[in-house]
């Protein structure tokens, strides 16, 4: 009987007894209320578990947790309950001891846990947690993982989707990248690389697949899930998705291609016999000009080829003079036309292309192949006799030439003081090899001649020579650990040339102090630009120039590579320039506002300088330390920035001007991975 009931019963009996006094002293007293069987010596039972948690492996099976009962009641049993459906319970009691037995099923997914309540009459309930580990990935088989992969493109949303599964379920690591298919093939052919080798180079931009991505790929895989939203200039292209997966003993590559549909609805390509193209060309003042216009205005995509006329004649000879076969043979090796070019061709004005003429004595031919929605093709061809290229000034050259070993690259700087260089070559080699050749009687001039005859020298483009004749030029070359590099430069005009040698030590990584300030969106508004108060108009709040680095150091390889450059530059200019770093994975407003204001795109890293007057300049992505210093010096007005040019023979798609060359090929850097935006962040682990 509970205390409250007993209390009121006691009062009732007391009142009746009191009322009966003097009337009948012989009335019997009420019977006592029964109570539960007490424990030994009348003490309350106490239930004690030997642990508050039971850890269970992913395999499951029978598990048990023991308990004791103080002041146990004879023949009384304990009980156990839980809401979990992935194990069963049974309580076994033997006097003052017992155990809870669980039959736990195998875990096929993520880690899980549930609560179990143990009861014993007369005792306070006790609870414990059952925690089961996540399913374990199978051990590597010792063979390369086997992958199945497919790409699909959602034209409406302009999103690339991916199906990917590791059928052997033994991938331990992986790289994922997306590239224009024919660009990738061309790079592999030119560099003599396999896909595996290319994927493992920093230039590929391939991103490391995080553990959760690998776990999913090793499980059921991806099922047509959105991965990447392509920027407009990528539409209408064939895109290859590449995955390099590996375990402890092997690696494999899966490649899938998807065609991205042309964007925009105006004008709508009309199926038919192909666009009708009119095409003209002219040469003036060392430049070649081409104009193309579509009378049917149904161009959806296309390619441009610009080669010396002799090349086209040679190509025609190889196919027996069949011009259609020539077009078939060149397809996929020209300069891809972005959507803007197609729009111009479809307009009333047409498209004007300019080409710097590298040789005024050579007649050039230009070929444009265009496509409509049904892939009907039309081609136009024009031959142009190039005239009017400026002639170089004759006389002896004066060239200043030096090379430096930077933390991540060798940098060659050259300037022609007399500003009359017409041709130039550069070659780099081991200084010991140069010394050995000189000791055997060779001169630097003969070494350069030998390098040129064996195509080991890099010929300067006209743009480089113009730069060297003006402000000077800087060429970058990746560092080779453990070496000194000797650069030889051969510069000439009509009747003279200069050959010099400069040595550089192996670059040393920067390990000094950093004065980079890591700021968030709110601090950006306080220190740089309050884009909420001054919306749409940049009003600089800083007291001295600054360098802004918008990056994603958690996953972006180029962002990570840029950090030591920022650190070293911040130490060099710590009293003159503020260096700010903003993590775009954590703070997105500032980079979005700056990108919109400067039309900078959505890629990372995004490097921007701001001078004391608030004038912003986009530097771009990663730059080596020497270029960073040149940009900061220009920011301070102390020196003129040296133009840095990466060695490449590839074409240039930026703007409307591009370089001529045999089978002109678009540059991989123009399709850099920063042109794509990761959409499904949980997928990619960004």
């Amino acid at each position: 009987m509970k205390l409250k009931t007993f209390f009121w019963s006691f009062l009732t009996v007391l009142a009746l007894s009191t009322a009966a006094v003097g009337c009948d002293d012989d009335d019997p007293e009420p019977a006592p209320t029964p109570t539960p069987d007490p424990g030994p010596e009348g003490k309350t039972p106490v239930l004690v578990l030997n642990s508050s948690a039971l850890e269970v492996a992913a395999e499951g099976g029978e598990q048990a947790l023991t308990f004791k009962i103080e002041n146990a009641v004879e023949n009384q049993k304990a009980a156990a309950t839980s809401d979990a459906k992935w194990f069963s319970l049974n309580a076994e009691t033997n006097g003052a001891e017992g155990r809870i037995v669980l039959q736990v099923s195998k875990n096929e997914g993520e880690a899980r846990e549930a609560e179990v309540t143990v009861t014993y009459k007369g005792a306070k309930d006790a609870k414990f947690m059952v925690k089961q580990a996540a399913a374990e990935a199978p051990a590597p088989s010792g063979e390369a993982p086997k992958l199945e992969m497919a790409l699909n493109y959602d034209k409406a949303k302009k999103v690339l989707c991916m199906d990917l599964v590791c059928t052997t379920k033994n991938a331990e690591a992986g790289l994922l990248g997306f590239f224009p298919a024919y660009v990738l093939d061309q790079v592999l052919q030119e560099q003599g690389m396999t896909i595996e080798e290319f994927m493992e180079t920093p230039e590929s931009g391939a991103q490391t697949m995080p553990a959760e991505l690998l776990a999913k790929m090793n499980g059921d895989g991806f099922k047509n899930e959105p991965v990447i939203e392509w920027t407009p200039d990528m539409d209408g292209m064939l895109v290859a998705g590449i995955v390099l997966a590996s375990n402890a003993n092997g690696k494999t590559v899966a490649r899938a291609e998807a065609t991205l549909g042309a964007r925009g609805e105006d004008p709508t390509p009309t199926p038919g016999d192909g666009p009708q193209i009119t095409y003209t060309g002219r040469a003036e003042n060392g430049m070649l000009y081409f104009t193309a216009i579509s009378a049917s205005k149904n161009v959806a995509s296309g390619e441009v080829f610009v080669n010396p006329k002799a090349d086209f004649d040679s190509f025609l000879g190889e196919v027996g003079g069949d011009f259609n076969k020539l077009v078939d043979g060149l397809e996929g090796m020209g300069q891809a036309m972005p959507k803007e070019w197609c729009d111009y061709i479809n307009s009333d004005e047409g498209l004007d292309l300019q080409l710097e003429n590298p040789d005024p004595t050579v007649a050039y031919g230009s070929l444009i192949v265009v496509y409509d929605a049904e892939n009907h093709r039309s081609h136009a061809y024009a031959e142009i006799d190039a005239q009017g290229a400026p002639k170089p000034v004759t006389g002896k050259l004066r060239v200043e030439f030096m090379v430096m070993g930077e933390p991540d690259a060798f940098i060659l700087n050259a300037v022609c003081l007399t500003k009359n260089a017409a041709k130039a070559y550069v070659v780099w080699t081991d200084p010991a090899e140069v010394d050995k050749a000189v000791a055997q009687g060779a001169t630097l001039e003969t070494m350069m001649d030998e390098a040129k005859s064996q195509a080991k020298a890099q010929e300067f483009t006209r743009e480089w020579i113009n730069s060297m004749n003006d402000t000077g030029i800087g060429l970058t070359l990746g560092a080779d650990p453990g070496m000194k590099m000797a650069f030889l430069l051969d510069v000439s005009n009509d009747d003279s040339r200069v050959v010099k040698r400069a040595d550089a030590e192996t670059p040393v990584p920067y390990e000094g102090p950093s004065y980079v300030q890591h700021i968030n969106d709110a601090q950006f508004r306080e220190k740089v630009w309050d884009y909420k108060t001054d919306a749409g108009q940049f009003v600089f709040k800083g007291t001295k120039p600054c360098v802004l680095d918008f990056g994603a150091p958690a996953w972006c390889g180029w962002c990570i590579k840029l950090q030591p450059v920022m650190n070293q530059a911040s130490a060099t200019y710590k009293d003159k320039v503020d260096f700010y770093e903003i993590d775009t994975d954590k703070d997105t407003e500032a980079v979005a506002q700056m990108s919109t204001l400067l039309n900078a795109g959505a890629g990372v890293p995004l490097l921007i300088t701001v001078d004391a007057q608030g004038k912003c300049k986009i530097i771009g992505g990663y730059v080596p330390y020497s270029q960073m210093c040149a940009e900061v010096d220009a920011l301070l007005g102390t020196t003129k920035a040296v133009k840095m040019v990466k060695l490449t023979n590839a074409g240039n798609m930026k703007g409307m001007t591009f370089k001529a060359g045999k089978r002109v090929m678009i540059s991989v850097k123009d399709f850099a991975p920063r042109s794509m935006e990761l959409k499904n962040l949980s997928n990619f682990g960004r």
Side-chain angles (χ1 to χ4, degrees):
M1 181 180 294
K2 294 187 179 298
L3 180 59
K4 183 176 181 180
T5 304
F6 180 83
F7 178 73
W8 285 111
S9 299
F10 174 78
L11 290 181
T12 302
V13 172
L14 179 61
L16 291 174
S17 300
T18 304
V21 173
C23 295
D24 190 355
D25 294 336
D26 297 327
D27 288 345
E29 296 182 0
T33 302
T35 59
D37 295 336
E41 302 177 359
K43 295 182 179 180
T44 302
V46 178
L47 179 61
V48 181
L49 304 180
N50 75 332
S51 176
S52 61
L54 181 63
E55 303 286 345
V56 183
E59 289 76 10
E62 182 175 300
Q63 307 289 327
L65 185 141
T66 60
F67 61 84
K68 292 184 178 180
I69 306 169
E70 299 177 2
N71 308 321
V73 178
E74 187 175 356
N75 297 325
Q76 185 169 305
K77 303 292 185 181
T81 59
S82 176
D83 294 333
K85 305 299 183 184
W86 44 277
F87 59 79
S88 61
L89 291 167
N90 183 38
E92 300 175 353
T93 311
N94 184 14
E97 296 181 347
R99 66 176 189 159
I100 308 300
V101 181
L102 298 85
Q103 294 293 335
V104 184
S105 61
K106 183 178 180 180
N107 189 2
E108 301 288 350
E110 299 179 352
R112 54 189 177 182
E113 60 182 39
E115 187 178 65
V116 176
T117 301
V118 185
T119 59
Y120 188 85
K121 185 178 180 181
K124 183 179 179 181
D125 294 349
K127 300 178 185 293
F128 68 93
M129 297 297 297
V130 181
K131 301 179 180 180
Q132 188 175 24
E136 296 181 358
S141 65
E143 300 177 354
K146 292 182 176 61
L147 301 177
E148 291 183 357
M149 182 182 180
L151 293 179
N152 299 288
Y153 183 60
D154 187 329
K155 293 184 179 180
K157 298 180 180 178
K158 302 192 187 327
V159 173
L160 191 66
C161 301
M162 177 173 64
D163 295 336
L164 176 63
V165 64
C166 180
T167 54
T168 50
K169 299 186 179 182
N170 63 347
E172 290 184 329
L175 294 170
L176 178 61
F178 295 88
F179 316 91
Y182 74 87
V183 172
L184 175 64
D185 293 340
Q186 184 76 9
V187 170
L188 296 179
Q189 180 180 354
E190 289 180 350
Q191 301 298 325
M193 286 181 164
T194 64
I195 292 182
E196 290 90 342
E197 292 169 340
F198 174 72
M199 286 284 288
E200 292 176 337
T201 64
E203 291 75 18
S204 73
Q207 303 189 49
T208 302
M209 296 167 63
E212 55 268 28
L213 198 75
L214 288 168
K216 190 166 189 177
M217 187 176 71
N218 279 323
D220 295 333
F222 295 90
K223 299 299 179 184
N224 204 31
E225 296 177 355
V227 179
I228 292 174
E229 178 178 357
W230 293 93
T231 53
D233 64 328
M234 300 299 292
D235 288 341
M237 295 201 62
L238 188 67
V239 175
I242 309 293
V243 177
L244 173 63
S246 62
N247 60 18
N249 300 300
K251 62 183 62 174
T252 190
V253 172
R255 168 174 175 167
E257 296 181 353
T259 301
L260 306 189
R263 66 187 171 92
E265 299 180 355
D266 186 25
T268 301
T270 303
D273 295 330
Q276 303 301 310
I277 301 296
T278 59
Y279 186 39
T280 59
R282 70 186 189 278
E284 293 178 4
N285 300 321
M287 296 293 295
L288 306 178
Y289 296 89
F290 310 101
T291 301
I293 187 169
S294 173
S296 51
K297 299 185 179 180
N298 62 351
V299 173
S301 61
E303 295 178 275
V304 179
F305 308 81
V306 180
N307 298 76
K309 179 180 177 298
D311 285 346
F312 283 113
D313 293 340
S314 175
F315 299 156
L316 274 173
E318 293 174 5
V319 295
D322 189 330
F323 200 74
N324 288 316
K325 286 186 178 180
L326 167 65
V327 174
D328 291 336
L330 292 176
E331 189 173 330
M333 299 187 65
Q335 169 123 5
M337 290 167 51
K339 186 62 169 58
E340 290 79 0
W341 293 16
C342 297
D343 292 342
Y344 277 114
I345 290 178
N346 285 321
S347 70
D348 293 334
E349 291 80 15
L351 170 67
D352 287 323
L353 302 181
Q354 339 178 39
L355 172 68
E356 187 173 4
N357 179 14
D359 190 340
T361 65
V362 176
Y364 272 77
S366 179
L367 171 66
I368 291 184
V369 180
V370 296
Y371 307 84
D372 64 17
E374 298 298 322
N375 289 320
H376 292 292
R377 177 172 67 191
S378 176
H379 48 257
Y381 178 75
E383 297 177 2
I384 302 170
D385 291 327
Q387 301 291 336
K391 295 182 179 180
V393 179
T394 60
K396 188 175 180 179
L397 298 174
R398 291 183 56 206
V399 177
E400 287 188 352
F401 175 40
M402 67 178 180
V403 64
M404 301 171 293
E406 298 294 348
D408 55 4
F410 293 103
I411 309 296
L412 177 150
N413 291 304
V415 61
C416 183
L417 301 181
T418 49
K419 299 185 181 181
N420 63 351
K423 295 181 180 179
Y425 295 86
V426 65
V427 64
W428 45 88
T429 184
D430 190 331
E433 295 297 322
V434 179
D435 294 339
K436 180 179 178 181
V438 171
Q440 294 175 351
T443 64
L444 297 182
E445 287 83 356
T446 58
M447 292 186 67
M448 280 296 303
D449 290 338
E450 180 67 18
K452 284 187 286 186
S453 68
Q454 297 181 7
K456 293 182 179 180
Q458 172 78 43
E459 184 174 2
F460 280 26
T461 65
R462 171 60 57 183
E463 180 185 14
W464 295 356
I465 295 172
N466 290 343
S467 177
M468 188 173 66
N469 278 327
D470 185 12
T471 59
I473 188 169
L475 305 182
T476 63
L477 180 70
D480 188 357
M483 280 191 71
K484 290 182 180 180
M485 300 295 292
F487 289 71
L488 307 177
L489 181 68
D490 179 358
V491 183
S492 64
N493 58 21
D494 278 359
D495 58 7
S496 66
R497 74 177 192 175
V498 176
V499 176
K500 293 188 177 182
R501 166 184 170 176
D503 296 342
E505 296 285 347
T506 302
V508 178
Y510 177 71
E511 298 178 352
S514 172
Y515 297 90
V516 176
Q517 303 177 52
H518 300 272
I519 61 175
N520 56 28
D521 285 337
Q523 293 167 321
F524 179 88
R525 295 198 304 271
E526 176 185 348
K527 297 173 178 288
V528 182
W529 171 35
D530 190 344
Y531 45 79
K532 293 186 176 180
T533 301
D534 301 306
Q537 180 181 3
F538 187 84
V539 178
F540 188 39
K541 299 177 69 68
T543 58
K544 55 186 175 181
C546 70
V547 176
L548 302 171
D549 171 19
F550 296 97
W555 59 269
C556 170
W558 287 110
C559 302
I560 296 171
K561 191 176 180 181
L562 181 59
Q563 286 181 320
V565 175
M566 286 283 290
N567 293 339
Q568 185 172 4
S570 71
T572 303
Y573 299 94
K574 64 179 180 179
D575 298 325
K576 299 178 181 179
V577 178
D578 289 323
F579 288 78
Y580 297 120
E581 184 177 291
I582 301 95
D583 190 336
T584 58
D585 283 340
K586 300 176 181 178
D587 295 275
T588 59
E589 286 187 359
V591 65
Q593 292 291 334
M594 290 297 290
S595 297
T596 300
L597 180 75
L598 302 177
N599 193 26
V604 290
L606 174 59
L607 199 61
I608 297 172
T609 62
V610 184
D611 66 15
Q613 287 72 43
K615 182 179 179 181
C616 301
K617 177 184 176 183
I618 300 174
I619 305 304
Y622 168 81
V623 296
Y625 173 69
S626 60
Q627 185 175 353
M628 176 71 81
C629 290
E631 295 293 349
V632 176
D633 286 338
L635 189 67
L636 297 171
T638 53
T639 61
K640 192 170 184 179
V642 175
K643 184 175 182 179
M644 307 302 293
V645 179
K646 183 177 181 180
L647 293 177
T648 174
N649 281 320
N652 179 13
M653 198 175 108
K654 301 192 183 302
M656 290 294 180
T657 303
F658 59 99
K659 292 294 176 186
K662 187 175 181 180
R663 299 191 178 187
V664 175
M665 186 61 211
I666 198 164
S667 172
V668 176
K669 64 185 175 60
D670 294 318
F671 290 103
R674 65 187 66 159
S675 67
M676 62 189 182
E677 177 185 355
L678 301 178
K679 291 293 290 182
N680 193 332
L681 304 188
S682 60
N683 255 6
F684 208 72
R686 178 172 166 181

